[in-house]
Amino acid sequence: MRSQFFNKKREGKVDSSGNSAIYKFTLLFLGWIVIFLILLVKSETASSALSHPVLLIYTIFVTSFQLSRVISAMLYRAPTGGGTCQASDFEPTVSIVIPCKNEEASIEKTVRSSFAAEYPSEKLEVIVINDGSTDRTGEILQNLKKDFPHLVVLDWKVNQGKRHGMYAGFTVATGEIVVQLDSDSYFEPHTFREIIDPFRNPRIGAVCAHADPENADTNMLTKMQAAYYFMSFRILKAAESTFQTVFCCSGCSSAYRKELLMPILKEWLDETFMGLPVTWGDDRALTNWVLKLGYDTVYTDKAKAYTICPDNLKQLLTQQVRWKKGWMVNSFFASKWIMKKHSFVALTYFFPLILVTVLAPFMALNALVVGPILDGHNPVYYFLGVILVASVITIFYRYVSRENKYWPYMFLWSILNMFILSFVLFYAVVSIQNRKWGTR
Amino acid sequence: MTKIKIRFYFSVFAIVLIFGMAYGSMNIQKLVIPGYQSALLTQKEFFYRFATSEFKLSQIASVFNGGWRTEDFEYISKKHQAHAIPVLVYHGIGESVDRFTFSPEGFFDHMNALKREGYSTISLEQFRDWMISGKDVPERSIVVTFDDGRRDSFIEAEPILRALEFRATMFIATGFSLNKRFENSPYYLNTREVAKMIESGRWEVHSHGIQKYGGMIDTDVGKGNFLSSKRLLNDFGRMETDIEYAERVHSELYDSKRDIEETLSNKVFAFSYPFGDYGQQTKENSIAEPTIRSTLIESGYRIAFRQTWENEAEYSWNSRNDDPFLLKRIEPSPSWSGSDLISFLAVGETKLLPLSDSFAVNKGWRREWGNMEISNNVLRVVASTTTTGGSTFLDGTQHWKNYRGTVEVVNDPLGSISLVARYGDAGEGVQCTFDEFGVRIVERDQDVRVVIAEQSSKGTYIPKHGDMLGIATLDDRVVCEVNGIGIVGTTTSRTVAGGFGISVWNKEKGVATLALRSFSAEQVSELAIPVVSASEAEEVNNDRKEEEGKEDVGQVSSGGVSPEVVLPAQPDVVAPEEVVVNEPLPVSPPLSLLDGVPHVVDVADPLPWELISGTISATSDGLRFQPISTSNAMIATLIGSQEWKDYEIRTKVRLENGTTTSVVVRYQDKNNYMECAFSKGARYGSATLYVIENGTRTALFRSPRLIFSGETPTADIGVRAKGTEVSCLFNGYPAITYELPRVWRSGAVGVRLWDSLKGHAQTDVLEMKVTSLSR
């Protein structure tokens, strides 16, 4: 069932444009009902919060912020670079850079699918950095070289870290566009052109592809992450892309204009935070550099990639801690210049997001633990509020992709997020000086 | 879309979103009240039902584990009909608790406690029918009311009432709740909500006035309660006239009733006095109380509610004897827990006969005056340092009628002991008084004590340790008992039901003390009035009492008795009279009293006086009246005045402290006459109207304090006698006016003196003038 479904999807036969009017109308109707219910829940907070005006302002602010993301996402249009999408007149040289370490299980598939990309092979180069692997990765790469003469392998005996790997890859790359691909990720070959096409627009410095977990059906946790990935790419990154400011072109599948990066690459490599080198959030840091240089970054839902997501809670938490740390450090850096370069986005999204992310765990703590114990408040309204906002997102989710079957897990994810993941921030703050990579 | 366009759309959406969110969350409750509120209500009701389920489970469990105790369910079975019904009044229920605002949890605690104790709420209509039409309701019925029409109390009480299957009455101020201007007030209910309340069938809505000018209005002495104060008309710079006031009261009472009835098609028959003020609180406006009452009746109200407070000596539950326009409501404090409310209600709980009380716990004895305590199985009634006595009554006994109440005395009491039967809210009743002067039956009506029968023992009997004292009543008969033997009995006009009280009194402040070990009460179905021995027959003529006891005692009208003057029975003024009997009286020639020509008595000449006892001598400025040295009293009448009918006597006398000086009228013989007795202390004095019939002296009425002017001991006293109406005059004005239809229409005028020391009484009459009142 699953592989059939995926095959279908990869063939691009199911498209959101095929949704019937009744389906859209039903979702729209549901959306209004949910908005109405949100107002009811908020009014309950309002009636009891008249003595707590700060709480009321917070709850209105957060809900508005979350819904404003949906609005931004609704305004999103896939970047076309100004030309017609299928035209082949825009074919710059492309280098795919794949840093890897101990990836014997997946590296072959990654390399093979890279070469399978629907792109003129003479304009495509694949660079794999074997960053001190201790397993059979090196051997597999040597074998692959026989099949693909255009494969460049940088074989490092000593591990230097992903950022160094990327740096080396970018340096040796000859293409105008550098596609950065994680060692466990791969593109859908026929959508590869979509990630290159936006570069027609000279203002665009980086493009982020859409990524879904390949191991989505492994267990409940991966299903929840499948929903989360879809939401964070197709809704949150799309919302950022509406304003041409995607803050994180995901490490698993993004493309950069090489000429932009070369002057700052060394600086990016040597970034430190509180005296120590930054080992995580390299993708986010690179994207921020593009933004800092004054170029646009966009997300395209037409280029599709697959990656592997953690299948147990411990790995998920480690990954979340790493991402939160990356977000914190890069938000800290970006906050210095974001007003100058992208003031509208800074005011409507960047700073509010920081506020929400910082306050959310405290408010959750207050609504779920402190309030019920000290004041006897009923936490059910907070809970309902979270679920209803998740419902709005889910309705939009269904609207943009009727075929993605993981949408029910959106609710589970928001519960997980409310009870566990939002508190990861605390741990991330405390352990900010731990620069270890952590997973995998 | 261009960048600018996108930013523009996004900004518009975001602004709409934020303001929509803020406005919506503040107002959506109002926009969609029906569905939303009922959903919330259902949810709250669910929680409350859940909170009560523990008790229900324990009830069910007790059946299975053998823990069924009949007494737990005695009241739930509701064997009896209610003799009295408590009414509760609440104001608001909200998050911030104050004197008038309960927390929802606190209110739930109260209602849940009522439910657990087997109380069930009845509608106000049922209450009215019980009160007025005599329909029965089961015992442990209770009425829950809310004043002021506050929105929060409806919103928070509704799910609680639903969950407990209780009901309530809301008294609304129509000037707010039925007024479009206050439609969006967060404080007051609006028309739509009131209509919903009525529709629910759980709520009744009645009037709390219009409150057109608010609860408090301007008066010439500051702020006043709107219903009972005359309003200061600022535009005219004057106060309302009586008529304007009455019109305003009419509008407040009638229009509010009409508006509720017309707007909501809901029959209004009950009123709740705002601030609990039915006119009694507002001293400046003497017409308030009668105006409000008569307007209530005219407007078609059948019942009206006030509040009672813990320190007031009233039965805490309402009985059918009570005034339907002064119904009592208990106002629970937000600081009371549910069990506090239950114990407060238990005080007023209906007590059934027979009853025996060994004072292990307080079964409902309440202090009326002085001090009272129950400890170590003894009920102690004592005077406080500032009172001459103390009294207590048993709450919940107001429906008792024919019963015998017996107490066991465990000290040698310091003072007169009185047992009160047929005790009513205003302190009225019939009492047996036991002291060294004997045993007396006294009818009491607020501040007036009238001796209706006595058995004088002159020191032979003094209540002492171990005595069983009792009072028994059967219909119009009253008997006082000592150790189970009837001592004195008579018939009384106080035949309505009433409870039991005890008091003790002594001349000295802070002395009176009474300790009781037990109290028992039983139903009485036979009661004989004890036969008095021959030697005492002269003083107490039972046959006469049998004949005349049922007659109307008469109407009391006084110039306003101030409540601080508490006048318990005072034995000293009812001292037996020692009379020196002369030879048979010669019939004197009648003296004519002409209209318009005052008869001026010559105060230099003792000859026009007929001495019944004592002496009269002329002094430099008047006539000196004195008893003989072995007697406490003297009496003399004006010769020839025995045919006089309607007249006014005024006399200027020099009073001695301690001497009671009486102006005698309607004198027939030494055993039949009336008198106004004036006695004077250091600064104050009083006048008492007595009738002496067949030798029995009865105090009809006592005046409030009279102020005798400082140094000069002279006083202007007198009597006006016209038909059956007799007034005691002080400085020419009536201090007491009393109508006693059964006494004589004519009789001689005279002077009588009395002093507690023999041969000590002395009064000088300086002027005396009699004016005819017949026309």
Side-chain angles (χ1 to χ4, degrees), chain B residues 183-213:
Chain B
E183 198 170 20
N184 293 320
S185 156
Y187 189 81
Y188 290 105
L189 287 159
N190 61 31
T191 315
R192 199 173 56 230
E193 288 160 337
V194 176
K196 274 187 69 68
M197 291 169 80
I198 294 170
E199 202 180 298
S200 76
R202 201 170 4 264
W203 292 83
E204 284 153 283
V205 173
H206 291 279
S207 171
H208 205 31
I210 300 175
Q211 309 202 359
K212 187 176 178 185
Y213 302 101

Side-chain angles (χ1 to χ4, degrees), chain A residues 36 38-40 42-44 46-47 50 56 60 63-64 67-69 71-72 75 242-244 296 344 348 378 381, chain B residues 1 3 6-11 13-14 17-18 20-29 32 36 40 43-44 47:
Chain A
F36 175 75
I38 287 178
L39 281 179
L40 287 184
K42 295 297 151 195
S43 74
E44 182 54 33
S47 65
L50 285 179
L56 180 64
I60 288 172
T63 313
S64 304
L67 296 184
S68 80
R69 291 294 89 204
I71 289 171
S72 296
L75 295 170
T242 302
F243 301 98
Q244 282 86 38
D296 291 344
F344 184 83
T348 58
N378 193 342
Y381 293 109
Chain B
M1 272 195 287
K3 210 169 178 174
I6 288 178
R7 286 184 180 186
F8 173 75
Y9 285 130
F10 175 79
S11 305
F13 278 132
L17 194 65
I18 290 172
M21 223 56 207
Y23 179 83
S25 59
M26 306 293 255
N27 294 288
I28 197 159
Q29 291 201 16
V32 290
Y36 174 62
L40 263 191
Q43 182 213 330
K44 285 186 178 172
F47 280 120

Side-chain angles (χ1 to χ4, degrees), chain A residues 264-324:
Chain A
I264 53 93
L265 213 52
K266 182 73 182 145
E267 212 173 324
W268 167 76
L269 180 68
D270 295 338
E271 262 178 357
T272 60
F273 180 72
M274 290 170 72
L276 290 174
V278 186
T279 47
W280 13 246
D282 32 58
D283 48 357
R284 187 177 280 274
L286 205 55
T287 318
N288 279 358
W289 269 108
V290 176
L291 289 172
K292 189 180 178 183
L293 291 169
Y295 285 83
D296 291 344
T297 54
V298 293
Y299 154 82
T300 174
D301 60 329
K302 291 180 179 165
K304 292 194 169 127
Y306 293 90
T307 187
I308 303 288
C309 69
D311 57 5
N312 62 63
L313 193 62
K314 187 170 173 286
Q315 278 186 10
L316 175 66
L317 287 177
T318 327
Q319 188 190 50
Q320 286 286 327
V321 169
R322 213 168 60 224
W323 287 359
K324 281 279 192 308

Side-chain angles (χ1 to χ4, degrees), chain A residues 69-108:
Chain A
R69 291 294 89 204
V70 178
I71 289 171
S72 296
M74 285 163 80
L75 295 170
Y76 166 78
R77 296 289 175 270
T80 57
T84 49
C85 188
Q86 293 306 319
S88 54
D89 55 337
F90 181 69
E91 283 179 351
T93 50
V94 176
S95 301
I96 301 177
V97 173
I98 309 169
C100 73
K101 183 197 171 192
N102 295 345
E103 294 285 358
E104 60 184 12
S106 57
I107 192 68
E108 183 166 358

